[in-house]
Amino acid sequence: MEQQKRYGHFDDQHREYVITDPQTPWPWINYLGNEDFFSLISNTAGGYSFYKDAKFRRITRYRYNNVPMDNGGRYFYIKDGDTVWNPGWKPCKTPLDFYECRHGMSYTRVTGRKNGVEASVLFFVPLKKWAEVQKLTLTNQSNEVKNLKLFSFEEWCLWNAATDMENFQRNFSTGEVEIEGSTIYHKTEYRERRNHYAFYHVNTPIQGFDTDRETFVGLYNEFADPQVVIEGKPRNSHAHGWSPIASHYIEVTLQPGESKDFVFLLGYIENEQDKKFSAPQVINKDKAHALIAELDTTQKVDQAFAELCQYWDALLNIYNVRTGNDKLDRMVNIWNQYQCMVTFNFSRSASFFESGIGRGMGFRDSNQDLVGFVHQIPSRARQRIIDIASTQFPDGGCYHQYQPLTKRGNNDIGGGFNDDPCWLIFGTVAYIKETGDFSILDEMVPFDNQPGSEVTLFEHLKISMDHVINNLGPHMLPLIGRADWNDCLNLNCFSWDPNESFQTTENVSEGTKAESLMIAGLFVVTGKDYVALCQKLGKTQEAERMQKAIDAMIEAVKKHGWDGEWYLRAYDFYGNKIGSNECDEAKIFIESQGWCTMAEIGAQEGMVAKSLDSCKKYLECEHGMVLNNPAFTKYIYEYGEISSYPEGYKENAGIFCHNNPWVIIGECLAGRGNDAWSHYAKILPSYVEEKYQTLHKVEPYVNCQMVAGKDAFKPGEGKNSWLTGTAAWMWYTVSEFILGIKPDYDGIRIDPCLPETATDYTVQRKFRDAEYEITIHPNGAQKGVKTITLDGQPVDGTVIPYSAGKHVVEVTM
Ligand code: GLC
Ligand code: GLC
């Protein structure tokens, strides 16, 4: 194994990851903002900001296909004599005497030192504010007086991130700005249909500015050597068209030991239509002035930062475990929950791998993300469920994605992914179990956002189940449609045209026999939830009707979906088996093993145990379980995108982390705690962090979507960090199935599944208006709760009945 260099470490006490070398193998990013105003920020302060929607309301510009270069961001240039440097090392890359980046909960602090000067910048988005704060603290640590020249820098995006990067014939003529005191306003297109603008402010008088990129950077220079900075002289340029930017120039004198704060503010404002202008051509700045006034001193900013920290304290105190294993505790208590919030906010839209232009919110993605987030802020989860359900069609199908700003389904991609409807049940049930709020089922929710089409949310769940039942194939298994969870298993697509996307090309449904075992398992799992919900609601007939459909599905899987040692994956258009020992390649797939074992189909007949064993035997490798084995070595026209990937990557035998937890839950249900744990630890970031920082490449504090599989050129190399369903699934797996604390309609079900080496642990769980302190004594058992006491009194069964107040629970296994 190649020598693994280390670039940082966890600081659990501050809930931070501390990066000590700016040259991480890839930019390691963080997210700022919790609602509405968001920023992405790398360890060198690269990245960009947007309001609600990374496509339609991009505030600052991003340069695409930008990794590992990571060009563009919020930069501070410090000119100290002839030396120009940045606290985050980039873009000048002047060697620093000290560098540190601390990524914390919705904030990032970047600190650099050079020649006796320290520059430390705290970046965060205050709660409920549409602005990014950049608090820069300059300290003179030397024995001489320092006369510094400070330049700030941001580059505006012309709002629509897609047209911003393709329509230059227009863009180069539309840019407009205004300058007022220490504030630079960006108002491109404000004169016409837009009623929003942005600004960049600093809370001190400035000695100059620039707003035109070419003037600032200079012809043929780079961000690393902007002409204005090199010469130490701002030009007070005023952008007309071309590329508007914002740069303040400040002269700073620091006595030995002296320290000064500068509060920079990147803000976003929306005005009412009739209050857009204060004079002809002049934007109405009232709201900007008000926002600036709220954050124009160190004291106000420190207060806002303290509130943000309290907010995260409260969120992370809802579920807290003490096992004594640092690597487990830090993921459960900090980073996994944090990543769940981020995936809830962004779905798969904006990261250094997702452009923010292509995808909005995914129907299946967002429902899964809910499971990781619902305990944090249930009211936001509730709204999300309604938003998602509003993009459903009357037949139960749905748009695959929608835009967060408009909440409208995305027509480019459309629908036809036949697993999508089931996920609505998955998300909704998780919400009700957490909150006890059954009233959500009575909410009136439209189809495709059409006013007048509203039916209850419960009705949406019903038609979701029916959509599967109404679309069965020749083996009475679910028809796959465009694809199931695996976007790349395109069995009805048949494409020889490199110019068409597998996702949007014609979906030949006429005459198809393409069926999915993944949807079959998903249907049984979510169907059981649906039946239990109906029983809870007293809808006995509906419960019976659906139970019959589930029973029939189980029979169909046992009869047509079992291959001898594992569950088949699918049938293709012509009715041929996929994921069978009879196939030349890709004999076994993970998705159907995960879902059919979670559904416990054929458990009595030994199918579950055999399937789990086969996962270990054929899918597991050093870094996790691969998606399929053996990998496809050639393109198969009947299968679509899946076989377009080279061996070991993505959906072709990559370790798609998202689906490893499915098998882990299957292991937990089967009571195989040792196996569950060993699969889990393989993809748990804190374990990977310890061993593989260089090889893994991507951020070591969160899960990535995919790790190169055993057939890849570099097994273990991670890709597509941050935005992945893995976050929610890892959380669901560890919190509910491994540690075994499972919200239920009437209380909390306790049913851990642990490795036999596990020792006593305590979970602090806030649940509705109650707070439970639950201590588990595993006694070497992998599974099986023997006794439970609630406040000293024995409890029958495994559900602690809910009642408000503080409670102490003791569990022996
Ligand atoms: C990506 C998609 C998700 C899909 C998965 C597998 O993570 O966002 O919807 O299920 O890939 O193809
Ligand atoms: C999913 C897959 C990816 C595929 C994409 C299509 O995200 O992970 O491999 O290219 O869907 O949109």
Side-chain angles (χ1 to χ4, degrees), residues 17 82 95 143 344 394:
Y17 193 82
D82 287 337
N143 297 324
F344 173 84

Side-chain angles (χ1 to χ4, degrees), residues 160 207 240 333 592 692 764 787:
N160 180 327
Q207 285 73 52
H240 290 283
N333 296 337
S592 44
Y692 299 119
Q764 210 76 43
T787 62

Side-chain angles (χ1 to χ4, degrees), residues 532-572:
L533 180 65
C534 290
Q535 279 159 350
K536 192 81 202 135
L537 298 169
K539 297 181 191 279
T540 334
Q541 274 188 346
E542 177 62 1
E544 277 165 20
R545 180 180 81 95
M546 201 52 63
Q547 188 57 52
K548 281 203 192 106
I550 295 170
D551 293 343
M553 188 69 77
I554 292 174
E555 282 318 304
V557 173
K558 287 193 205 168
K559 197 152 163 217
H560 302 292
W562 181 249
D563 197 55
E565 262 187 284
W566 56 77
Y567 303 96
L568 288 177
R569 177 60 177 88
Y571 285 95
D572 73 9

Side-chain angles (χ1 to χ4, degrees), residues 318-331:
I318 296 169
Y319 190 122
N320 194 278
V321 69
R322 292 190 305 273
T323 65
N325 172 349
D326 287 353
K327 289 206 266 298
L328 179 61
D329 290 1
R330 73 167 60 107
M331 292 318 298

